[in-house]
Amino acid sequence: FKALRYDFDALNGDLSTSIAPPYDVLTRADKDALLAVNANNIVAIDLPNVPPYQKGPDECYASAARTMAAWVESGVLLTEPSPAIYAYNQTFTHAGQTHTRRMFIANMRLEAFSEGTVLPHEETFGGPKADRLALMKTTKANLSPIFGLFRDADERVSQLL
């Protein structure tokens, strides 16, 4: 797929004030604090209804879509010219040790749950799912991709990343 992403050059390669923790751990105060540092923080689009425990009013999702369109129009967000699989790393420290997770973002074919290809990893609730679905439909973007694990016994994918 062709990603929609921040203009790295305009940010001098520093995304630190543009990114946010996952939507479901943020409060109104968290959102306000992130936006006070950078009005173009993704939380302006990704968290239209606070808290996101249920679907919000339709207008909050429409507002998120308008914000996203304005950012595309002004060049804050750019669309990649070609479809790709997007590799990225997360480096973090836990218990005094630094770890790096090598990951990628890609399209995934939908399959019937009965196929057993994708297994659930946690209990999910109707309210947050309705919130995410409303945001996806209105913005025509998946702003909250799933985090999945897969077997890579031969480390073929790890080597590519």
Side-chain angles (χ1 to χ4, degrees):
F1 69 99
K2 292 181 182 180
L4 185 63
R5 64 164 177 83
Y6 281 98
D7 180 351
F8 300 133
D9 293 335
L11 297 169
N12 295 317
D14 181 6
L15 292 172
S16 63
T17 66
S18 301
I19 61 175
Y23 74 95
D24 58 350
V25 301
L26 296 173
T27 65
R28 167 59 68 186
D30 295 329
K31 179 178 179 176
D32 292 345
L34 290 164
L35 292 173
V37 173
N38 180 355
N40 293 331
N41 186 291
I42 192 62
V43 76
I45 299 169
D46 193 38
L47 187 57
N49 180 46
V50 183
Y53 305 132
Q54 62 188 19
K55 183 182 175 291
D58 290 343
E59 175 52 31
C60 71
Y61 303 102
S63 177
R66 286 191 300 271
T67 298
M68 192 167 94
W71 289 3
V72 170
E73 179 71 24
S74 69
V76 171
L77 295 177
L78 306 174
T79 301
E80 290 286 356
S82 302
I85 294 173
Y86 300 91
Y88 74 103
N89 296 329
Q90 286 181 338
T91 302
F92 61 96
T93 302
H94 176 71
Q97 283 193 300
T98 299
H99 304 273
T100 299
R101 287 193 283 208
R102 289 178 175 76
M103 299 172 275
F104 61 91
I105 300 174
N107 278 341
M108 183 174 168
R109 182 180 61 238
L110 290 176
E111 294 186 10
F113 184 73
S114 61
E115 294 292 319
T117 303
V118 177
L119 304 175
H121 70 286
E122 63 182 74
E123 185 176 356
T124 57
F125 301 98
K129 285 192 277 192
D131 170 73
R132 294 291 95 184
L133 182 59
L135 184 60
M136 243 193 303
K137 284 181 174 181
T138 308
T139 61
K140 296 180 176 47
N142 184 352
L143 299 165
S144 301
I146 62 167
F147 184 84
L149 303 174
F150 62 95
R151 288 187 176 88
D152 187 24
D154 297 335
E155 296 192 14
R156 293 185 347 214
V157 174
S158 294
Q159 290 172 14
L160 288 171
L161 296 175

